[in-house]
Amino acid sequence: ETFWIVFVRLNVCLCLCVCMSMLANSLCSSPAVKQPPVITNQPDSITVFGVEDISLTCEASGNPPPEFRWTKDGEEFIPANDPGLSVTPGSGSFATTGAGSGPMSQYQGKYSCYASNELGTAVSNEVQLIAENPPALQKEKKVTKKVEEGESVVLKCNPPFSTVPPVIHWMDRHLLHIKLNDRVTQGRDGNLYFAHVTAADNRNDYTCNAQYMNARTILSKEPITLTVTTSNSLVRNRRPLMMRPSGSHSTYHALRGQSLELECIVQGLPTPTIQWVRKDGELSEVRTSRVLSDRLLRFSSVSESDAGEYQCTASNPQGKAIHTYTVSVEAAPYWTKEPVSQLYAPGETVRLDCKADGIPSPVVSWSINGIPITDPDHRRLVRDGVLILKDVAFDDTAVYQCQAHNKHGTILVNTYIYVIELPPQILTADGQMYTFVEGQKALLPCQTYGSPRPKLWKSDFNMVNLLTNGTLQVTNVSSGDEGLYTCSVVNSNLSINAELEVLNRTVILSPPGPLRVQPGNRATFSCLAQVDSKLTPPHIQWRKDGQKLFHLQGKKQDDKMHFANEVCHSGQLCFLLVYVNMTFVINDTHLPLLPDRPDPPTKILISDQRDRSVTLSWTMGDDHNSPVIESVVEFEEQRFKEWGWEELKRVTGSKESVTLDLQPYLSYRFRVISVNDIGKSVPSMQSDLYSPPPQAPDKNPEGVRSNSTEPDTLVITWKMDKREFNGPEFHYRVFWRRVVGDGPTWHSNVTIEPPYTITDVGNFSAFEIKVQTANQEGEGPEPGSVIGYSGEDFPMEAPMDVGVMLLNSTAVTVTWAPVDKETVRGNLLGYKVRSIHHRGRRAREPERSLVVVTGPNEEKKVLGGLTPYSHYALTVTVFNNKGEGPHSETLSFKTDEGAPGPPMSLHLDSPSETEMTLHWTPPAQPNGVLKGYKLQHLRGNMKHTISGICLRPETVLSTSLVSWPQSVIGVYVWTEPLLCVSVCVSAEQWCLCWGGGGVSSRVCFPDPPSHLNLFSFLFILSFLSLSLPPSLRFRRHNPPSPRSSLAAAEMDVRASFATRGWFIGLVSATVLLFLVLLLLCFIKRNKGGRYSVKDKEEGQIDSEARPMKDETFGEYSDNEEKRTASQPSLCDQSKLCTSEDHLDGYNGSSAVTEVNMEDSLVSQYSRPSEATPDLGTLQDSSPLNPGVTTPTPTTNGLPNSAAILD
């Protein structure tokens, strides 16, 4: 428009000149100014529902007045020839008259309007006319919904389809809108959603009304009845659940500039609350709004920055539901740089830049007067949206159309090129004065007009820099630059004069400095400035920390500032450093005096465009008194838009241009950041979009390999950066052939992304594979091949001839025969030897499995760490990358016996000064058939063997030693089959005797300990009952006679529950109850006379009471010897004890262990000892001890305690 205003003014001036020269003829007629056609009113796309709605507008200006024509779907369309259409005179607009016949569909299509005159043809935007029949309702059945209170429900609308979606209104029979809230929501699909229903929702008139704005129609659907049933039971709360959209993730595609709505409609009781967040950034509160009780997140105008992931979280006390939305933004084409209409002289070169952006990137094409440029011409060049016309002539005057299109739309712009010769003119006024301050940049404009462009020269001045627009630029102006300047047009008498005036720089003669004052004193800062005499007195502005001091504590007097009551800590000096950020204004130019971060660069220009490089130049911003030390050039790739802004290059110093190496076919935007000692500037404005021309790929993908995991398939994968595609229609050529069998022939196919899968290739077959890149411009370099294998399958066969060789009680050697590699169906990685340790049925520990992995070439393996005397099951498998093959036949074996482990625990209890009791638990690792225990005690430096017992143990033990004053007692395990062990002690010697199986041995030691003088000890061990827990007690007493001088070893067998408190209480209660009953019977008998059975009852009572009365605890009477006379002594049988002294008169039968009630009661009245752990549950019937009777879980058939009386 500006161009044509100037053009009209120029013609008016020429007309006036002609009129003045023709006054003699009294004629002054203005010649007509020619103008190219310009579309002033573009047509719009419409959807019509009736013939009367058809109307397309097309208006244009121009001189001569333009003529109009239309195309429909690319073919000529003449509205005047259609009787049903009328054309508006003087324009291209047409509309229906109603007189035509035929369906509306005959007018449906894509239309373009052309306006032409002798200077060219302008083209309108392409529009679409869609013809639809008016929407109508189909016959419907009445819908009834019946739900329970608290449940969710959806009332569907389902309006008739239209390309223009209707507006939905849910109303009742009185045409009142259904109230919407966080519980009742209307979806974008028109349906009515209830998060949960209540009794108030009962109604039979839920009516959906669809309003079609373009069709001017409202359709009312059949009313829906909603029945809510209630129950007496409490309504159960429910956790949130997505109703719309369903599932946990959905994807939305939006167009730049359009609106977008994300729904989050949920059900639940109580009504869930909604929260929106952006997962990959901060959710903009300015660009978004929430409606329908936060159920709808609305974007009024979508931009590329809105692309990302959003999340809706619906929560109530019962839980929460989360839905993720992935929003991708694409864009219809839009202009980033439009070509400019201009006048040109013959012979000049015309460059028209036409750049558009969009997602996907639009394709740009050129037309002349509506005719596409297809024929090659040495004077015309079209590349990357730029049209270059060389050596233009008058017939190049035309209207040029630039069109950009992608899948979302098409845009078009008309540009007028007028080739003409016009006399030069200077448009800048003459005699202007320009005033600048020293050090500033002086600009003296001289604007010219003409075709061809006038050339300028200047006098009375040493030219510094002449800009392309005719402006003279003088940098760092000084007083010597003052004077008169003349701007003249070469080869003409046109010129103007301009005067330059330079003022002195304003300086601060006495700036304020740092002060140190006492708290409470006055601080005075002075500022003396000098300005040019031609200027008014300066206005001095004081600031503290960036704020004007007029509003702070202090008093300003002229050029001084006084501070009182400056805040400082009590008792300290106050250091006050004031930075004067003083600026003065002359001709709207600010000169800051303090260093700061630089201003961003300006005028980002791209030049010297080559196939793989460009030159980027810029103009430095103000450095704010700190020189720029480097510039950082950043770029953003616009074609794929996956990486954001990245640093491309750094330029040191104050350079303002750099050559950048680029990748073909990418779309670049550049920006520059200046850096000084203070910091970085904000980024500059973005440069124009630049795309290097496409080329064939430079390289092939990296990491080509086989990633086959499924049988009978070959999966080829690789890695490639999208920025290395180098051109459109990028794809890969995948090659493969068998290493053996295919010969030199390569199989190939094309794909656009990895991986590439080939089927029916066999299992674990070797292939040569390679991948080559290609695009529209050609193929990449010849790729190298690598070896890859097809997918593996599970091995088919198990190893054969599996054998076991026993090495010792804890190790075996496993052998097997190698499998046929053809049956492995993959890469043989090795063998797995799996052994399972079998335990008892009631064992608490699970069966333990051991897996040993071998190499592919091994045929035997040693398994160590096995448990002695145990049963194992063993299998061998072969494995590859897919997994294991079948197991071999199970091979069972049994390990040899090994040394037993120590007892699990040992506890010493001393009930009295002359008695101690030993408690122990079986070993944890018997490692065989347990034969017995060895008990030892050490008094001083003498070691005395207390006992060794011949048992059949079933449990497991650990080792422990317990200290006792002047004695050490230990428990050991014996595996020899001992039958009897005894110790015989006299005043002169003491002997240890043992034997079994017809063999006997004895060893004697002189000088027994002094404290044993005059006493003899006899230690006899015998097998105990397998069902009772044993305790072994040794007691000493003074012998009143030679027979009683012997110390008898008594075995006190007590039930495991005998020491339980509850058992003692139960027995006591029973005895007490029995005594009470006896007392009652006795009293009744005395009162009522004697019964016939009196004598018999008295006899029974006497016989029961006699032993308690006559016998003493711990001593043997003659009656006791009689009762045990039938039990022969073990020592008597083995004849081990033959002492010459006090043992001569010994009767073995009298030393046999007695199990009687008295000893049991004595143990109850002795000092309580610590309870022995019950390990009966740790052992079951073992496969290692066949034929051995399993003891009860409490005793296991072994003594686990012994009492020693001294």
Side-chain angles (χ1 to χ4, degrees):
E1 293 178 356
T2 302
F3 163 74
W4 285 113
I5 292 174
V6 174
F7 185 68
V8 170
R9 289 177 178 175
L10 180 60
N11 280 272
V12 170
C13 294
L14 293 176
C15 175
L16 292 176
C17 295
V18 173
C19 290
M20 293 177 64
S21 64
M22 300 177 64
L23 289 175
N25 299 326
S26 300
L27 178 63
C28 183
S29 60
S30 174
V33 179
K34 293 184 179 181
Q35 295 182 357
V38 177
I39 303 291
T40 58
N41 196 350
Q42 295 273 2
D44 296 318
S45 296
I46 58 173
T47 300
V48 298
F49 295 88
V51 178
E52 67 279 0
D53 298 328
I54 298 177
S55 176
L56 292 179
T57 301
C58 180
E59 297 180 358
S61 63
N63 191 13
E67 297 179 355
F68 298 90
R69 62 185 179 89
W70 289 85
T71 60
K72 175 175 174 289
D73 296 330
E75 298 182 357
E76 185 175 5
F77 175 74
I78 304 175
N81 295 341
D82 192 325
L85 300 177
S86 64
V87 180
T88 303
S91 73
S93 304
F94 66 88
T96 55
T97 61
S101 60
M104 291 188 303
S105 59
Q106 65 178 330
Y107 299 110
Q108 184 167 291
K110 295 181 179 180
Y111 292 82
S112 294
C113 176
Y114 295 80
S116 305
N117 65 11
E118 60 184 64
L119 296 183
T121 301
V123 184
S124 72
N125 295 328
E126 186 179 67
V127 297
Q128 186 172 12
L129 189 151
I130 300 175
E132 289 187 7
N133 293 321
L137 287 177
Q138 302 294 328
K139 187 176 181 180
E140 296 178 325
K141 294 182 179 179
K142 192 168 183 178
V143 177
T144 300
K145 294 275 189 177
K146 185 176 182 181
V147 294
E148 291 186 1
E149 185 177 7
E151 297 294 325
S152 64
V153 69
V154 181
L155 304 184
K156 295 185 178 182
C157 180
N158 296 329
F161 173 78
S162 173
T163 56
V164 182
V167 180
I168 303 299
H169 305 273
W170 282 91
M171 310 177 81
D172 59 12
R173 65 166 63 92
H174 303 294
L175 298 182
L176 297 177
H177 282 85
I178 300 298
K179 186 177 180 180
L180 302 180
N181 49 41
D182 57 350
R183 187 179 62 86
V184 183
T185 308
Q186 179 179 315
R188 296 177 63 246
D189 56 356
N191 297 337
L192 196 62
Y193 294 85
F194 292 80
H196 63 271
V197 295
T198 63
D201 295 324
N202 264 313
R203 31 186 337 136
N204 58 2
D205 58 350
Y206 286 97
T207 306
C208 173
N209 298 276
Q211 180 182 9
Y212 296 86
M213 305 295 290
N214 290 18
R216 298 180 293 278
T217 301
I218 297 178
L219 300 179
S220 295
K221 308 239 353 186
E222 282 290 332
I224 299 176
T225 299
L226 177 60
T227 302
V228 180
T229 60
T230 58
S231 60
N232 295 328
S233 60
L234 183 65
V235 178
R236 296 184 59 185
N237 291 346
R238 294 180 295 108
R239 63 179 300 163
L241 184 65
M242 294 299 300
M243 300 180 72
R244 178 177 172 87
S246 59
S248 61
H249 182 269
S250 56
T251 301
Y252 286 76
H253 301 281
L255 282 181
R256 177 179 179 268
Q258 295 186 358
S259 62
L260 172 66
E261 295 177 338
L262 303 181
E263 287 183 291
C264 185
I265 303 177
V266 293
Q267 58 173 290
L269 181 64
T271 304
T273 58
I274 302 298
Q275 182 181 9
W276 290 92
V277 296
R278 180 167 181 172
K279 297 179 65 176
D280 56 351
E282 184 178 357
L283 182 61
S284 173
E285 299 295 337
V286 177
R287 300 187 53 78
T288 61
S289 60
R290 296 173 176 86
V291 295
L292 293 178
S293 301
D294 291 345
R295 266 57 180 173
L296 199 68
L297 182 66
R298 177 176 295 163
F299 298 79
S300 57
S301 180
V302 176
S303 67
E304 289 86 343
S305 63
D306 295 324
E309 285 196 348
Y310 298 83
Q311 181 175 284
C312 166
T313 303
S315 57
N316 68 5
Q318 300 300 312
K320 62 181 180 180
I322 298 176
H323 191 88
T324 302
Y325 308 78
T326 299
V327 176
S328 60
V329 178
E330 296 188 349
Y334 59 93
W335 298 116
T336 59
K337 187 174 184 179
E338 298 184 26
V340 179
S341 298
Q342 189 60 275
L343 298 179
Y344 293 91
E348 286 188 314
T349 297
V350 177
R351 177 188 175 94
L352 299 178
D353 291 317
C354 181
K355 296 184 179 180
D357 201 359
I359 305 174
S361 297
V363 177
V364 178
S365 59
W366 282 92
S367 301
I368 301 178
N369 294 329
I371 301 175
I373 300 177
T374 56
D375 298 333
D377 191 331
H378 69 281
R379 293 195 309 113
R380 286 198 300 258
L381 177 62
V382 178
R383 185 175 64 182
D384 297 332
V386 178
L387 174 62
I388 299 177
L389 303 175
K390 299 179 180 179
D391 193 20
V392 294
F394 293 110
D395 56 0
D396 289 321
T397 298
V399 180
Y400 293 78
Q401 289 83 32
C402 178
Q403 186 182 60
H405 68 90
N406 64 9
K407 65 180 182 179
H408 299 300
T410 302
I411 55 175
L412 182 143
V413 62
N414 292 281
T415 304
Y416 179 62
I417 299 300
Y418 197 179
V419 182
I420 191 174
E421 288 184 343
L422 293 174
Q425 296 289 327
I426 297 178
L427 303 180
T428 303
D430 189 16
Q432 296 290 321
M433 175 177 285
Y434 301 95
T435 302
F436 295 91
V437 179
E438 285 182 326
Q440 288 186 328
K441 183 189 296 181
L443 297 175
L444 280 66
C446 182
Q447 186 177 1
T448 61
Y449 183 80
S451 180
R453 186 183 303 275
K455 296 181 180 180
L456 305 179
W457 64 276
K458 296 174 175 59
S459 61
D460 299 334
F461 176 68
N462 185 16
M463 184 178 65
V464 176
N465 189 13
L466 180 62
L467 303 183
T468 56
N469 61 358
T471 300
L472 183 69
Q473 175 180 291
V474 183
T475 58
N476 195 19
V477 67
S478 64
S479 58
D481 295 324
E482 288 185 325
L484 185 65
Y485 293 82
T486 302
C487 174
S488 303
V489 177
V490 179
N491 299 326
S492 72
N493 56 356
L494 296 177
S495 65
I496 62 171
N497 295 321
E499 185 177 355
L500 175 63
E501 182 183 31
V502 180
L503 302 179
N504 294 326
R505 185 195 304 265
T506 300
V507 294
I508 297 178
L509 300 178
S510 178
L515 294 179
R516 189 174 73 171
V517 297
Q518 291 287 349
N521 294 341
R522 171 176 293 189
T524 302
F525 296 93
S526 299
C527 179
L528 180 60
Q530 180 182 4
V531 299
D532 194 284
S533 60
K534 299 178 182 179
L535 297 175
T536 59
H539 172 71
I540 299 177
Q541 173 66 62
W542 288 86
R543 293 177 183 268
K544 177 186 177 184
D545 297 332
Q547 296 183 3
K548 294 182 180 181
L549 291 181
F550 297 117
H551 307 293
L552 301 180
Q553 295 178 0
K555 184 177 181 182
K556 180 175 182 293
Q557 295 179 355
D558 299 331
D559 56 352
K560 297 182 180 180
M561 180 60 64
H562 305 281
F563 284 93
N565 301 324
E566 183 66 29
V567 179
C568 294
H569 295 287
S570 176
Q572 297 181 355
L573 293 176
C574 179
F575 291 87
L576 180 60
L577 180 62
V578 176
Y579 292 93
V580 180
N581 183 14
M582 180 177 177
T583 63
F584 62 94
V585 181
I586 300 177
N587 293 336
D588 296 331
T589 302
H590 295 264
L591 299 178
L593 300 179
L594 287 181
D596 197 359
R597 294 191 305 170
D599 289 340
T602 59
K603 299 181 181 179
I604 311 299
L605 300 177
I606 297 175
S607 61
D608 193 17
Q609 301 173 1
R610 299 186 181 183
D611 291 345
R612 288 179 177 266
S613 66
V614 295
T615 298
L616 185 70
S617 60
W618 60 90
T619 300
M620 288 286 190
D622 197 328
D623 59 12
H624 291 289
N625 298 318
S626 178
V628 174
I629 57 178
E630 68 175 351
S631 299
V632 181
V633 179
E634 295 182 342
F635 78 97
E636 183 182 42
E637 203 287 316
Q638 296 289 313
R639 187 175 301 278
F640 300 105
K641 295 186 176 181
E642 295 182 2
W643 299 278
W645 285 99
E646 301 178 66
E647 181 178 317
L648 182 59
K649 201 166 187 178
R650 287 179 176 259
V651 182
T652 58
S654 59
K655 295 181 180 179
E656 294 185 334
S657 65
V658 65
T659 299
L660 304 174
D661 295 329
L662 306 180
Q663 193 71 21
Y665 189 59
L666 296 183
S667 295
Y668 290 90
R669 287 190 190 277
F670 303 101
R671 69 183 186 185
V672 184
I673 299 174
S674 297
V675 183
N676 64 8
D677 291 332
I678 307 302
K680 293 183 178 181
S681 70
V682 297
S684 67
M685 297 294 291
Q686 302 176 14
S687 69
D688 294 335
L689 192 67
Y690 175 70
S691 296
Q695 295 185 8
D698 300 325
K699 56 186 297 187
N700 291 311
E702 299 175 349
V704 179
R705 62 186 179 89
S706 169
N707 190 26
S708 308
T709 58
E710 297 300 324
D712 204 26
T713 61
L714 176 64
V715 180
I716 304 173
T717 185
W718 58 88
K719 295 181 180 179
M720 185 78 177
D721 193 340
K722 291 182 178 180
R723 289 179 285 194
E724 297 174 344
F725 286 0
N726 286 10
E729 299 181 12
F730 181 85
H731 57 276
Y732 301 94
R733 293 192 63 193
V734 184
F735 298 86
W736 72 93
R737 67 180 179 187
R738 294 181 186 271
V739 173
V740 178
D742 281 355
T745 303
W746 287 92
H747 305 279
S748 66
N749 209 337
V750 174
T751 184
I752 59 174
E753 60 181 357
Y756 183 76
T757 303
I758 308 162
T759 58
D760 300 329
V761 295
N763 297 321
F764 200 61
S765 301
F767 286 85
E768 281 187 87
I769 55 178
K770 60 183 180 180
V771 180
Q772 185 181 29
T773 55
N775 60 21
Q776 193 178 52
E777 302 298 320
E779 297 178 349
E782 182 65 26
S785 63
V786 297
I787 301 297
Y789 289 84
S790 59
E792 303 181 30
D793 204 349
F794 293 101
M796 297 174 58
E797 296 183 359
M800 305 294 291
D801 300 333
V802 179
V804 173
M805 180 185 301
L806 297 177
L807 298 179
N808 50 47
S809 61
T810 61
V812 297
T813 299
V814 183
T815 60
W816 61 87
V819 298
D820 186 358
K821 292 188 176 181
E822 294 296 330
T823 65
V824 177
R825 300 197 292 186
N827 184 22
L828 176 60
L829 299 180
Y831 299 86
K832 290 186 179 180
V833 181
R834 182 177 284 100
S835 61
I836 300 176
H837 182 200
H838 290 295
R839 300 181 183 272
R841 290 174 297 174
R842 291 182 293 174
R844 293 183 178 179
E845 298 181 13
E847 293 187 344
R848 184 161 51 91
S849 177
L850 175 66
V851 179
V852 178
V853 179
T854 73
N857 299 321
E858 295 187 57
E859 299 179 13
K860 63 180 180 179
K861 191 69 175 181
V862 175
L863 301 183
L866 305 179
T867 302
Y869 205 63
S870 299
H871 277 161
Y872 283 89
L874 181 142
T875 61
V876 182
T877 61
V878 62
F879 70 97
N880 56 21
N881 288 313
K882 185 68 175 178
E884 293 184 58
H887 289 252
S888 64
E889 293 185 3
T890 302
L891 178 63
S892 299
F893 66 92
K894 175 181 176 183
T895 55
D896 294 337
E897 285 191 84
M904 292 181 62
S905 65
L906 176 63
H907 174 67
L908 178 63
D909 187 19
S910 180
S912 67
E913 294 181 355
T914 61
E915 180 180 353
M916 64 179 180
T917 303
L918 268 169
H919 301 274
W920 64 89
T921 52
Q925 299 172 351
N927 296 341
V929 179
L930 196 62
K931 301 300 182 181
Y933 299 95
K934 180 179 180 181
L935 281 68
Q936 289 184 337
H937 81 276
L938 177 65
R939 186 183 301 272
N941 295 325
M942 297 186 61
K943 182 179 296 186
H944 297 266
T945 300
I946 295 179
S947 62
I949 54 178
C950 311
L951 304 174
R952 291 175 294 179
E954 306 290 341
T955 55
V956 209
L957 302 188
S958 70
T959 298
S960 176
L961 291 178
V962 178
S963 296
W964 195 57
Q966 300 181 353
S967 299
V968 178
I969 297 178
V971 178
Y972 302 89
V973 180
W974 284 10
T975 55
E976 294 82 5
L978 295 178
L979 297 178
C980 176
V981 177
S982 63
V983 177
C984 305
V985 182
S986 66
E988 291 80 11
Q989 64 178 359
W990 60 283
C991 301
L992 172 65
C993 309
W994 71 91
V999 179
S1000 63
S1001 301
R1002 181 179 67 174
V1003 58
C1004 294
F1005 304 92
D1007 301 327
S1010 58
H1011 67 278
L1012 299 180
N1013 288 340
L1014 305 179
F1015 299 101
S1016 300
F1017 293 85
L1018 179 63
F1019 300 88
I1020 300 177
L1021 300 115
S1022 63
F1023 298 103
L1024 306 177
S1025 172
L1026 298 179
S1027 61
L1028 296 176
S1031 71
L1032 180 61
R1033 173 178 297 168
F1034 301 91
R1035 295 189 302 176
R1036 187 195 69 180
H1037 59 85
N1038 294 329
S1041 63
R1043 174 178 292 274
S1044 62
S1045 64
L1046 298 177
E1050 298 177 358
M1051 300 301 295
D1052 182 14
V1053 182
R1054 297 171 293 170
S1056 62
F1057 55 83
T1059 59
R1060 305 288 183 178
W1062 64 268
F1063 179 77
I1064 295 175
L1066 179 62
V1067 172
S1068 301
T1070 304
V1071 172
L1072 180 61
L1073 179 61
F1074 181 70
L1075 292 176
V1076 171
L1077 292 176
L1078 287 180
L1079 180 61
L1080 293 176
C1081 293
F1082 180 75
I1083 295 173
K1084 184 175 182 181
R1085 187 182 64 175
N1086 290 339
K1087 289 184 178 181
R1090 296 181 176 272
Y1091 294 94
S1092 59
V1093 292
K1094 171 177 178 272
D1095 296 334
K1096 185 175 181 179
E1097 291 176 347
E1098 289 178 350
Q1100 293 177 353
I1101 294 174
D1102 293 339
S1103 63
E1104 293 173 357
R1106 187 177 299 112
M1108 296 295 294
K1109 178 178 179 182
D1110 297 336
E1111 297 176 5
T1112 60
F1113 294 126
E1115 296 183 357
Y1116 292 91
S1117 65
D1118 294 339
N1119 293 332
E1120 292 173 340
E1121 293 178 0
K1122 292 178 182 180
R1123 286 195 303 269
T1124 60
S1126 62
Q1127 300 177 1
S1129 170
L1130 292 175
C1131 286
D1132 184 49
Q1133 293 177 2
S1134 60
K1135 299 179 181 181
L1136 295 176
C1137 301
T1138 57
S1139 174
E1140 289 88 8
D1141 298 327
H1142 299 285
L1143 303 178
D1144 292 341
Y1146 171 71
N1147 186 358
S1149 62
S1150 65
V1152 176
T1153 301
E1154 288 285 347
V1155 181
N1156 50 50
M1157 179 60 73
E1158 291 77 10
D1159 290 337
S1160 177
L1161 292 176
V1162 167
S1163 66
Q1164 300 298 328
Y1165 284 97
S1166 63
R1167 184 168 64 88
S1169 61
E1170 185 175 335
T1172 303
D1174 184 10
L1175 299 178
T1177 57
L1178 295 178
Q1179 183 69 23
D1180 196 1
S1181 59
S1182 172
L1184 306 182
N1185 299 319
V1188 177
T1189 303
T1190 303
T1192 63
T1194 304
T1195 66
N1196 297 296
L1198 287 176
N1200 55 10
S1201 65
I1204 304 174
L1205 281 71
D1206 193 3

